[in-house]
Amino acid sequence: MKELKLDEKTYFNKISFPSFERIKKGPVAIIECIEDIPCNPCETICKFGAIKVGFPITNLPILDEEKCTGCGRCVPVCPGLAIFVLDYNFNEKDCLLTIPYEFLPLPEEDEKVKCLDRDGKFVCDGKIIKVIPPERNAMTAIISFAFPKKYYNKIRSFKR
Ligand code: SF4
Ligand code: SF4
């Protein structure tokens, strides 16, 4: 087990944040779980064995970026809403971020939104691409939205 230091530079970049080389290859999970709570549905749902919590169950999850296919099955099962899937190659200019979303009403596809950073601050404009309603995902809606690639490591939510 690696020693974990819970700051953005060490934790997000070395433990569960995929390398930029992997990000450029295609959709991949990003796990921003920072609490030592007894929890592991992300590990059990991933049929590719790409997430390891192990024992004790309070370990933070570790992503194996090469095993991750970006399927997104881990996104709605995380009670901490801490898992996203990033598709850096969505189109020439934009990346696509898929997030769990527990606000109502749900946004509409093609809707313009304001993209926010981890502190809820506005960064750039974006567009809703796909909305999967909660009934199809363990009662958590899944939203995919697009924004300029240069913010791939900054944007984590949106407001309408
Ligand atoms: S996106 Fe799919 S393959 Fe990747 S960690 Fe999540 S469940 Fe596993
Ligand atoms: S399911 Fe979410 S909160 Fe639980 S260990 Fe995995 S990433 Fe952390």
Side-chain angles (χ1 to χ4, degrees):
M1 184 73 191
K2 297 178 193 176
E3 182 186 348
L4 300 178
K5 292 182 181 172
L6 300 184
D7 59 78
E8 185 168 336
K9 196 170 169 194
T10 55
Y11 178 70
F12 291 154
N13 290 347
K14 290 187 182 167
I15 305 298
S16 286
F17 201 95
S19 64
F20 190 53
E21 288 67 36
R22 173 61 188 84
I23 284 171
K24 284 189 290 183
K25 287 182 189 169
V28 65
I30 292 172
I31 308 175
E32 298 193 354
C33 175
I34 57 170
E35 306 237 4
D36 298 329
I37 54 173
C39 181
N40 70 351
C42 55
E43 179 180 40
T44 54
I45 196 86
C46 181
K47 63 180 181 181
F48 301 101
I51 300 178
K52 174 144 177 87
V53 175
F55 298 97
I57 195 174
T58 49
N59 286 340
L60 292 172
I62 295 175
L63 177 74
D64 185 329
E65 64 178 28
E66 294 308 326
K67 288 183 180 171
C68 177
T69 65
C71 71
R73 291 186 71 201
C74 52
V75 174
V77 302
C78 171
L81 308 181
I83 307 182
F84 316 92
V85 169
L86 175 70
D87 181 0
Y88 187 78
N89 304 316
F90 176 60
N91 65 30
E92 213 171 282
K93 287 194 272 181
D94 294 334
C95 59
L96 186 76
L97 190 68
T98 297
I99 68 168
Y101 190 80
E102 293 190 335
F103 297 102
L104 291 173
L106 295 176
E108 307 272 337
E109 291 179 358
D110 289 329
E111 184 177 329
K112 299 278 193 311
V113 290
K114 302 290 180 194
C115 298
L116 309 176
D117 67 12
R118 294 181 181 87
D119 295 324
K121 291 186 187 139
F122 170 75
V123 177
C124 64
D125 292 323
K127 186 167 98 166
I128 302 293
I129 302 298
K130 190 171 182 187
V131 177
I132 301 179
E135 311 82 72
R136 288 173 47 196
N137 280 305
M139 299 315 290
T140 295
I142 300 297
I143 310 288
S144 300
F145 62 110
F147 52 85
K149 285 181 199 287
K150 66 179 175 180
Y151 298 122
Y152 79 92
N153 190 18
K154 201 168 179 69
I155 303 299
R156 288 296 175 266
S157 189
F158 63 83
K159 69 176 178 181
R160 305 178 66 192

